[in-house]
Amino acid sequence: MKDIDLDFFIKNIADLCAVPIRYFVDGSFKNIYSTVEIKIDPFEFVKDEIFKLEKHIDYFTSKNNFYYVIVQNENTKIIIGPSFFNIPEDYTLNRICFEFNLNREDSISFKNTIKTINRFPLETLLQIACSLNYILNDEKIKLGDLLMKDLKVPTQQIEQKEQNENEKIVLPHNTMKIENELLSIVKSGDLNKLKFYIENIPSFRTNSIVENQIRQSKDLFITTIALITRAAISEGVNIEEALTLSDNFIQKIENSRTMKELNEIILSALTEFTTKVSYLKNVQTQTEFTLKLSNFIIHNISRKLTIDDLVNNFYISKTSLCEKVKNNSGLTVNEFINTTKIGVAKDLLSNTTNSILSISDYLGFSSQNHFVKVFKKYVGTTPSEYRKNQNLKNS
C-alpha cells in the first residue's frame, strides 16, 4: 500500500466533521485535530476507560451519552469524539459539570466547547472509523460487519446472562447471601449502611484472580447489575434512567481486565443505584402519585422545572395537578419540587465535596443566593452550616 500521510488524513476528517480527533503513538499523545478550542477536555475524564478497548475498531459511551470511537493497532490509537445524538441542553451540561466537579470558569468553558461540537449518529462515526482502519491496518471492515458482530449490546447481554446464569456461573459459597444483602441495601437507599457493608466485606477487596475466574466474575457482576437495576426500578427509580445506567456499567465490566477494576465498577454501580433510591426516600410522603412525581423531578433534577413541565408530563390539568399534590403530600407543587430538590441537596452536601455553587447549578436553581435562601427555608440552616454539622457528626 502507498505510504499515507496519516496526520494529513486525520486533520481533513476532523475539519470536515467538526468533531475532535486525538492521535496517540506508542502510548504518547501526538496531536489533537479540532475546529473547536478545547480548554476543558471531556476525553480526559474517560481516557482510561477508552484505552482499555482492544479491538481495531471499538467505541465507548460515557454515562452522559457522549460517545467516542477508537481505531487502533499495537502502536497507534486514533480517537474520534466526543459526539452525541442530540446536543445536550444547559441543564444536562450543568449536571455534567457537577459530576466533573468543575469550578464556574471551567464550567463555562466546558459548556461552550460542547455546544460547538457537531452531533452525529454513532453509526456515522463508526463508518469514518472503517476508513481510518483501512488506512491504519490495511483491513477492509464495513459498517454492516461491525453491527452484525454486535460490538456492544448491553441490554441483550443482561437477558442472556440471566438465562444462562445457572449453567455458566460458578458462585462462591456466600455469593447469594451477599447478593441478597446488597439488594436489600439498594432498596433501602441507605448510603451509610452500604458504605459500612462494603468496608467490612472481604469479597470486595480481592485484587488478583486467574483469567477464567475473571470471566466468571464478569458474568456474575453483569447478573448483579441486572438485579440491582430491577431493585432500584421496584423502588420507583425511572426505568429509562435505570436501564441507561445499567448499560453503561455493563459496558465498563466487559472492558475491564482485572479484578480490581471489576470491584471498582460494581461498587460504583451499587453507590449510584442506592443514591437514586435514597433521593426518592427523602420525600416524606410516598403515595403512588408522589413517587412518580418525585421520580420525574429527580430524573430532571438539573432543570428549572415549572408546573407546566409537570402538567405536560402527567397529562393532567393544572387544577387537578395542584389538588392531587396537595391531597397526597400537603404541599403546593412548588413546595413539592423544592422539597425534593433540597432532599437531594442534603445528600450531596453530606457525601460530596462539590462547592455550594456547583450543587446549586446541578439542582437547577437560578443562582447560589436563591439556592441558599430556599435551603434555609426548608432545613433551617444554610448549606454551608449543614455541611459543617454533617462533617462533625461523621468525624
Side-chain angles (χ1 to χ4, degrees):
M1 180 183 288
K2 180 182 176 181
D3 288 341
I4 298 291
D5 187 338
L6 195 56
D7 280 277
F8 177 80
F9 193 68
I10 295 171
K11 183 180 185 305
N12 273 276
I13 292 177
D15 289 344
L16 178 66
C17 299
V19 174
I21 302 181
R22 295 161 191 78
Y23 183 19
F24 294 81
V25 177
D26 294 328
S28 299
F29 174 75
K30 183 171 183 182
N31 214 333
I32 178 171
Y33 303 93
S34 175
T35 58
V36 178
E37 183 183 6
I38 301 178
K39 292 182 179 178
I40 304 298
D41 192 349
F43 169 73
E44 292 299 320
F45 296 95
V46 294
K47 179 171 65 177
D48 292 343
E49 299 287 343
I50 294 172
F51 278 178
K52 292 174 188 174
L53 302 175
E54 296 179 340
K55 296 177 184 177
H56 281 177
I57 303 175
D58 212 334
Y59 74 93
F60 174 83
T61 305
S62 73
K63 65 180 291 187
N64 298 302
N65 294 319
F66 290 5
Y67 37 80
Y68 301 79
V69 170
I70 185 169
V71 183
Q72 62 187 332
N73 58 24
E74 289 182 2
N75 304 313
T76 304
K77 294 182 186 292
I78 302 168
I79 297 159
I80 309 168
S83 189
F84 18 75
F85 190 73
N86 290 308
I87 295 174
E89 297 185 57
D90 280 339
Y91 67 85
T92 300
L93 293 175
N94 283 338
R95 187 188 69 233
I96 296 170
C97 290
F98 171 82
E99 291 168 352
F100 290 167
N101 205 5
L102 302 181
N103 60 35
R104 173 51 64 91
E105 184 180 344
D106 288 344
S107 294
I108 293 171
S109 174
F110 175 82
K111 287 187 273 190
N112 288 337
T113 296
I114 296 300
K115 288 177 180 178
T116 50
I117 294 175
N118 266 0
R119 63 186 179 91
F120 285 100
L122 176 60
E123 290 79 7
T124 300
L125 297 190
L126 287 171
Q127 205 152 20
I128 293 170
C130 289
S131 299
L132 281 168
N133 184 60
Y134 180 59
I135 299 297
L136 189 63
N137 294 315
D138 195 17
E139 185 179 43
K140 292 182 179 180
I141 297 178
K142 298 177 182 178
L143 179 62
D145 298 329
L146 294 175
L147 298 178
M148 286 179 65
K149 288 179 181 178
D150 188 24
L151 282 174
K152 297 277 187 302
V153 187
T155 305
Q156 292 179 6
Q157 284 179 335
I158 291 178
E159 296 171 357
Q160 187 63 39
K161 299 305 178 186
E162 288 183 321
Q163 290 171 5
N164 298 335
E165 65 175 296
N166 291 330
E167 299 173 8
K168 297 180 67 176
I169 298 172
V170 180
L171 299 175
H173 72 279
N174 63 339
T175 296
M176 295 305 296
K177 180 175 182 287
I178 292 171
E179 216 168 56
N180 288 333
E181 289 171 338
L182 289 173
L183 287 176
S184 174
I185 292 172
V186 171
K187 285 187 172 186
S188 74
D190 192 332
L191 289 165
N192 290 326
K193 189 174 180 181
L194 175 66
K195 182 181 178 182
F196 176 81
Y197 192 81
I198 288 169
E199 288 173 350
N200 291 278
I201 183 168
S203 304
F204 284 98
R205 297 200 293 269
T206 307
N207 289 322
S208 61
I209 197 164
V210 297
E211 181 61 32
N212 67 322
Q213 287 177 304
I214 287 181
R215 181 62 259 173
Q216 291 173 3
S217 296
K218 285 185 177 184
D219 291 341
L220 173 61
F221 282 5
I222 286 171
T223 302
T224 302
I225 294 291
L227 292 172
I228 64 175
T229 301
R230 290 181 179 178
I233 290 172
S234 74
E235 294 302 311
V237 173
N238 179 274
I239 294 175
E240 179 187 351
E241 185 176 15
L243 291 178
T244 299
L245 275 174
S246 173
D247 287 353
N248 286 333
F249 281 121
I250 288 174
Q251 184 185 55
K252 288 181 179 181
I253 287 172
E254 288 293 4
N255 292 336
S256 62
R257 294 186 235 178
T258 67
M259 195 61 201
K260 183 175 184 294
E261 291 172 1
L262 282 171
N263 284 337
E264 289 172 353
I265 293 164
I266 198 66
L267 296 182
S268 177
L270 285 163
T271 302
E272 189 81 27
F273 280 107
T274 305
T275 300
K276 297 291 182 189
V277 175
S278 174
Y279 290 166
L280 292 174
K281 300 282 185 184
N282 278 328
V283 181
Q284 291 181 351
T285 307
Q286 285 289 344
T287 64
E288 183 179 354
F289 176 74
T290 57
L291 179 62
K292 289 179 180 178
L293 186 58
S294 56
N295 203 340
F296 176 79
I297 296 167
I298 289 166
H299 187 54
N300 296 276
I301 199 70
S302 297
R303 291 179 61 186
K304 297 171 185 175
L305 290 173
T306 65
I307 292 178
D308 286 339
D309 292 322
L310 302 182
V311 166
N312 293 333
N313 181 75
F314 290 98
Y315 304 101
I316 190 173
S317 70
K318 285 186 180 180
T319 302
S320 296
L321 175 70
C322 292
E323 287 179 355
K324 209 164 186 181
V325 173
K326 191 70 173 178
N327 291 336
N328 281 268
S329 68
L331 303 171
T332 67
V333 174
N334 284 330
E335 286 172 342
F336 191 91
I337 293 172
N338 285 333
T339 299
T340 305
K341 289 197 171 194
I342 294 306
V344 175
K346 289 165 67 178
D347 186 78
L348 295 175
L349 290 165
S350 300
N351 297 295
T352 77
T353 58
N354 291 75
S355 68
I356 306 300
L357 178 59
S358 173
I359 292 173
S360 170
D361 285 345
Y362 173 69
L363 296 174
F365 285 93
S366 57
S367 68
Q368 181 175 339
N369 286 339
H370 182 218
F371 169 56
V372 171
K373 183 178 178 180
V374 173
F375 190 93
K376 189 168 185 178
K377 175 183 176 182
Y378 287 90
V379 182
T381 65
T382 66
S384 297
E385 290 168 344
Y386 181 84
R387 171 173 273 170
K388 183 178 179 181
N389 291 337
Q390 291 302 304
N391 288 339
L392 289 173
K393 286 181 183 178
N394 296 328
S395 61

